[in-house]
Amino acid sequence: MSTLTRQTLSHLDWLEAEAIHIMREVAGQCSNPVLLFSGGKDSICMLRLAEKAFRPGRFPFPLMHIDTGHNYREVTDFRDKRAAELGERLIVRSVEDSMARGTVVLKHPGESRNKHQSVTLLEAIEEFGFNACIGGARRDEEKARAKERIMSFRDEFGQWDPKNQRPELWNLYNARSHKGENIRAFPISNWTELDVWQYIQREELELPSIYFAHVRPVVRKGDLLQPVTELTPARPDDKIEDMRVRFRTVGDITCTAPVESDADTVAKILLETASTTITERGATRMDDQTSEASMEQRKKEGYF
Amino acid sequence: MSAPEQLPDHDHGLLRFLTCGSVDDGKSTLIGRLLFDTKTILVDTLSAIEKTSAKRGMSAVDLSLLTDGLQAEREQGITIDVAYRYFSTGTRKYIIADAPGHEQYTRNMVTAASTANLAIILIDARKGMLTQTRRHSYLASLVGIPHLLVAVNKMDLVDYDQATFERIRADYLAFAAKLGIGDVRFIPLSALNGDMIVDRGERLAWYDGPTLLEILESAPAAHTEQAEDFRFPVQFVCRPQDSSNPELHDYRGFMGRVESGEVAVGDPVTVLPSGARSRIKTIELGGAKLARAIHEQSVTLLLEDEIDISRGDLIVKSSEAAEPVKEIDAIVCWLAEAPLSTARTYLVRHTTREVKAKVARIDYRLDVNTLAQEPASVLTMNDIARVTLKLAQPIVADAYRSNRATGAFIVIDESTNNTVGAGMIA
Ligand SMILES: Nc1nc2c(ncn2[C@@H]2O[C@H](COP(=O)(O)OP(=O)(O)OP(=O)(O)O)[C@@H](O)[C@H]2O)c(=O)[nH]1
Ligand SMILES: [Mg+2]
């Protein structure tokens, strides 16, 4: 055999190929998967990857969003529009319905509903009999996620057991589960925030407007900027500032903070992302900062 | 936020590597140092680990906290499972897997090693080679990692003594010769102080080789430079039946990833195990039509003829055929707490195919210390053995050393659905 310098894929092409392969494995191995779609940037990339994986056929799974009822209109409108454009089925299940059923009980009316999404998710999994949920979580987001397998097994209570994960060798993924258990599959595990923005740029993906710099009233809370909204009104002693900001991640309004920025195009966001000094969740998530292990804890309880 | 003028526009692809070696040799600290010195650690992460280090009464920042992300790991100061970390030098993206050193968690090291192109094997300069060093070296070479880098760490604790480094190098080379490991390099370093990782430091002037980062930057990214046979396991068949577009009425796309080699439109292909033949009509990727598809690309293939193909079939070039087999000899790493039983039926997943299998015999078990082959009637967790498997249906396999994708398989216990073994076909 001859020795030659082999052609290899660019890093973005490699990540794309890996993600497509993972999605196809879920479709090939699991009888009833679902793709979690929030309207956020990671899940928008996931939809493009699903198109590349399965078109000209339909997606072999519906899309599902667990709605806390506290999401930005721009994002939920975008979610609905995108699903309609693709002609794929969108299921929305709401934390408010779980509250009405009494399965989610808030400690106080103002408590963030973010972590309660686990309950609604598990209820929806049971309702539809899903045996795999494809999610857009990335290992670079958080230290517990950095430990999770690409096909991550959850027991019948939706629990992740970080000390006892299935070995995952080569790209021979094991997505098997018994009835009632399920698999969380993470096709973009190996992507960083920068990779996501590079992919958005290359694929010219449309995003909800709040990802781009815009003027919005905010209040400074420590290192974070809290947007002033109906759900998060300013307190009498707060100083409201109109600031040019963008969101690095969009989630529940009560726990997602924007960052100060002038970047109003993907190209400018890319440059900022490449030179940022704060992690994505560090700059934006109020819920991760309560304790050192809060993500791990939530995942053990069935979170994404 | 301030911004640089522009992003680098060239892309040298991606390198995956792991750190391995014995307990407490400094694997996690090394990765922390690499991320710290390449300025990958962001301010808030650093302040979080500073706080945690202080809470634990440490005087300096404990960089291992960067990868030891689980509560249980932080409590015990050990690594339990693989952590994946990412950094980019502007020219290359790196995926790092930090493997645990404890023998109990060897299976997690195997997970990390299976996808790596390069292994950094750490050795504590005070301790020299230990059983886990040998085990991890053996496993790294077994899964076919083409480049090994032996990092003699904690040089600060032996006064940066060159003779210590040379002695460990000689020991290791003697062991590597027995394993037949070809490409192995050595580097002295102190992960704690950051000597010879990104910066050279001042105490290792006698070492004139490249720094760790320089070695990583120049390491070949591909597993092999050899031309490989084309192997395309079919993952999914696309038949857009309900489509209103009449052009799609007869569309039959075979979706998968080019696991090795490459293929071009017009190439004669054979579908295995059936043996049916056709030619490549079209290669598609996300609506675009490609003239050829290369190694690791996920594409959709359309053939000239209508033949019956489903998930689990393998498409190969007719000139590079392979034989379906119902019995295989393989090296197996047993990964489960429940021992391997020759009485039981297991499931073997090979490419995209699953078949039932029984272990017909255990030819020998390997002592990783001496590399001696011992007779065995049972395999327990972390054992490595040569076995013969009988399969209920044929698989189309190559030897692992000539093709990783068609030479590898996993063993699944159907009662728990757990992955209990990793196999490499001899
Ligand atoms: N003096 C000195 N200490 C080091 C060096 N590298 C690591 N250490 C210390 O060695 C101890 C173990 O380091 P870790 O990085 O956790 O070791 P590890 O190999 O990841 O351990 P496991 O993953 O549990 O097998 C810690 O106390 C480190 O601070 C070094 O170069 N010099
Ligand atoms: Mg460690």
Side-chain angles (χ1 to χ4, degrees), chain B residues 18 20-22 25 109 118-124 127-142 145-153 163-187 368-369 371:
Chain B
L18 86 154
C20 55
S22 200
D25 284 348
M109 179 274 175
L118 182 144
I120 301 178
I121 296 169
L122 274 92
I123 297 180
D124 184 330
K127 296 183 185 158
M129 285 184 72
L130 301 171
T131 308
Q132 274 304 78
T133 322
R134 293 192 188 89
R135 182 187 295 273
H136 282 185
S137 301
Y138 179 76
L139 288 168
S141 87
L142 186 67
I145 297 178
H147 312 288
L148 298 191
L149 175 60
V150 176
V152 180
N153 187 34
T164 305
F165 173 73
E166 298 297 345
R167 195 164 54 243
I168 292 171
R169 188 208 325 241
D171 283 353
Y172 194 92
L173 281 172
F175 178 72
K178 278 200 273 179
L179 283 181
I181 297 174
D183 181 16
V184 48
R185 302 175 73 163
F186 297 84
I187 186 171
V368 285
N369 251 320
L371 301 179

Side-chain angles (χ1 to χ4, degrees), chain B residues 11 27 31 35 57 79 101 128 132 143 223 257-258 291 298 377 389:
Chain B
D11 188 326
K27 300 173 286 296
I31 288 177
L35 295 172
T79 306
Q132 274 304 78
V143 300
H223 246 94
R257 188 175 191 184
V258 179
S298 286
S377 56
L389 288 160

Side-chain angles (χ1 to χ4, degrees), chain A residues 7 147 190 195 275 279 292, chain B residues 2 44 74 86 93 292:
Chain A
Q7 196 186 337
K147 293 264 159 185
N190 286 323
D195 297 326
S275 62
T279 63
E292 231 198 338
Chain B
S2 68
D44 56 319
R74 289 168 167 233
Y86 306 84
K93 173 174 166 128
R292 62 187 194 117

